[in-house]
Amino acid sequence: MSKITKTDAEWREQLTPEQYRVTREQGTERPFTGDYQVSEGQGIYHCICCGAPLFENEHKFEAHCGWPSFDRPLAEASVEEHTDTSHGMRRIEVTCKRCDAHLGHVFPDGPSDTTGQRYCINSVSLDYHPNE
Ligand SMILES: [Zn+2]
């Protein structure tokens, strides 16, 4: 998978202001406002910026935190994780490997019967494609 790089002006043209703020400026959507708090069936969540497949609905769980949460990415290779020390916290930021879009953060408080991880992801950074 080759990297996608675009200028800020190109991203601004492609994205809504809210999508731009979250994915290109490390923003966070307000909790309980996103589109993907509840979604049923099977399908794949793609990066809103570049279309890369990132998460599977099968790995989504209800974390009651106000953002869609997954216990793992679709594939190890689809996302990157970075230490983020902004806002006086030490967190692990999750970005799209293909285009570096900010997606959210991963916390080690996920369901202990699976991976134990909680990928807490902004809805606006995702585009859901249900399976046929
Ligand atoms: Zn992307």
Side-chain angles (χ1 to χ4, degrees):
M1 195 188 291
S2 58
K3 277 267 186 203
I4 290 185
T5 44
K6 293 189 185 189
T7 64
D8 285 346
E10 287 171 319
W11 286 124
R12 275 185 197 280
E13 179 132 332
Q14 178 191 332
L15 302 169
T16 68
E18 176 71 353
Q19 289 166 351
Y20 182 88
R21 186 182 70 82
V22 169
T23 60
R24 313 315 313 183
E25 299 183 321
Q26 274 75 40
T28 300
E29 72 190 5
R30 289 196 301 128
F32 303 105
T33 61
D35 288 340
Y36 301 131
Q37 291 179 61
V38 179
S39 36
E40 296 185 345
Q42 301 221 317
I44 305 283
Y45 295 86
H46 295 253
C47 176
I48 197 72
C49 293
C50 74
L54 299 176
F55 295 96
E56 229 173 321
N57 209 32
E58 198 179 321
H59 299 145
K60 189 167 178 292
F61 66 95
E62 186 46 76
H64 304 285
C65 64
W67 295 277
S69 300
F70 303 86
D71 67 11
R72 74 199 75 177
L74 182 64
E76 291 278 309
S78 49
V79 298
E80 271 180 353
E81 299 178 11
H82 316 265
T83 303
D84 170 14
T85 55
S86 64
H87 305 291
M89 291 176 275
R90 189 176 183 84
R91 297 180 294 175
I92 306 296
E93 181 194 8
V94 181
T95 59
C96 171
K97 192 156 196 164
R98 190 193 277 174
C99 75
D100 298 328
H102 171 76
L103 304 171
H105 291 88
V106 57
F107 301 95
D109 60 2
S112 56
D113 56 340
T114 60
T115 60
Q117 302 290 302
R118 173 169 62 96
Y119 287 79
C120 183
I121 305 299
N122 292 289
S123 299
V124 296
S125 67
L126 300 175
D127 184 22
Y128 184 55
H129 296 200
N131 291 352
E132 292 291 313

